[in-house]
Amino acid sequence: MGLYDRYLAARLRRHDADPPGHVAVNITERDLLEQGAYATLEAFFEWAFEYDVERITVYVSVLDSGAAPTLRRELDQVSAPRPLAVRGPEDTHRADAPIQVSIGLGGKHEFAGAVRKIAENVRDGELSAEQVDETDVEDHLVFPENPDLVLKTGAERLSDFMIWQSVYSELYFTDVNWRDFRKRDYLRALLDYKNRQRRFGR
């Protein structure tokens, strides 16, 4: 760790605000084609858990759905410090691992799937329409947890990213591309998060 990284780490330790318990990062399939991209991902996992994160979500935006199986094979082999669950575009099984990876499972698609399941429950008499609330939606999402902090590298907009779960998340955009993302960039994001006053829509 360089001098500047130690300085950032010291500022974080002195800060009274709580760190994010759940961090999500939004990257693209192009990011994962860059040399060293998976090494950056493995390092990111280490940094996040070092600074008290309990859950990580990695959302990989995919333009070509045909690339999803290859990306999934690669991500299944990533070295991770905690259990990792990978879900693709057609997956409906809930992801409960400390590290969760979504490959091309768009937020609209995931939300529509949850609504379909609720509609089936209403049709089958297991639930009345009047009883449906946000908890029912969350119970049927593949990625049910709400991130405290969402990181987007490369200064691009979020692309169909966890539209339900991230509604009250703190968003952090950086011009740094994923291949160049370093620990100091992550520490800057944490400091920015700690300096914010979260309102949760209020």
Side-chain angles (χ1 to χ4, degrees):
M1 183 184 288
L3 180 61
Y4 183 60
D5 298 310
R6 289 197 293 271
Y7 163 73
L8 291 172
R11 287 187 61 191
L12 278 169
R13 285 194 298 271
R14 291 195 300 267
H15 207 296
D16 292 335
D18 292 330
H22 181 181
V23 172
V25 60
N26 184 202
I27 58 178
T28 69
E29 62 178 304
R30 297 191 309 275
D31 290 323
L32 292 180
L33 294 174
E34 297 284 351
Q35 185 174 2
Y38 291 97
T40 299
L41 192 60
E42 292 172 353
F44 173 76
F45 294 156
E46 298 288 348
W47 305 332
F49 288 120
E50 178 184 351
Y51 285 89
D52 301 321
V53 161
E54 297 172 359
R55 188 179 301 277
I56 299 169
T57 299
V58 179
Y59 178 83
V60 184
S61 175
V62 176
L63 295 177
D64 179 8
S65 60
T70 301
L71 290 172
R72 183 166 193 158
R73 284 195 299 272
E74 293 292 332
L75 287 161
D76 277 330
Q77 298 177 36
V78 164
S79 176
R82 308 271 177 90
L84 182 149
V86 180
R87 298 290 184 267
E90 304 308 319
D91 285 322
T92 58
H93 182 61
R94 188 182 182 107
D96 287 322
I99 303 175
Q100 306 171 349
V101 181
S102 169
I103 306 171
L105 177 58
K108 290 181 180 179
H109 180 77
E110 182 187 17
F111 181 72
V115 171
R116 279 195 299 271
K117 290 177 184 177
I118 292 171
E120 290 170 3
N121 291 340
V122 172
R123 180 198 63 197
D124 296 339
E126 300 172 11
L127 186 70
S128 71
E130 293 76 17
Q131 291 175 313
V132 176
D133 60 19
E134 61 188 51
T135 302
D136 295 294
V137 175
E138 290 166 358
D139 286 344
H140 291 90
L141 293 172
V142 178
F143 298 93
E145 303 291 338
N146 301 325
D148 298 308
L149 174 63
V150 174
L151 304 175
K152 180 65 182 79
T153 60
E156 297 179 4
R157 62 182 176 83
L158 296 175
S159 177
D160 195 15
F161 171 81
M162 300 179 79
I163 57 173
W164 177 277
Q165 303 92 321
S166 65
V167 65
Y168 296 138
S169 300
E170 296 297 325
L171 307 180
Y172 182 85
F173 293 84
T174 174
D175 291 336
V176 178
N177 291 321
W178 179 250
R179 67 175 182 270
D180 301 318
F181 194 75
R182 299 162 297 176
K183 187 173 186 178
R184 65 180 55 182
D185 301 308
Y186 180 63
L187 298 182
R188 286 184 185 129
L190 292 184
L191 274 172
D192 182 86
Y193 173 87
K194 285 193 168 195
N195 285 326
R196 298 186 187 187
Q197 183 178 2
R198 301 193 69 192
R199 298 185 181 276
F200 298 97
R202 294 189 294 272

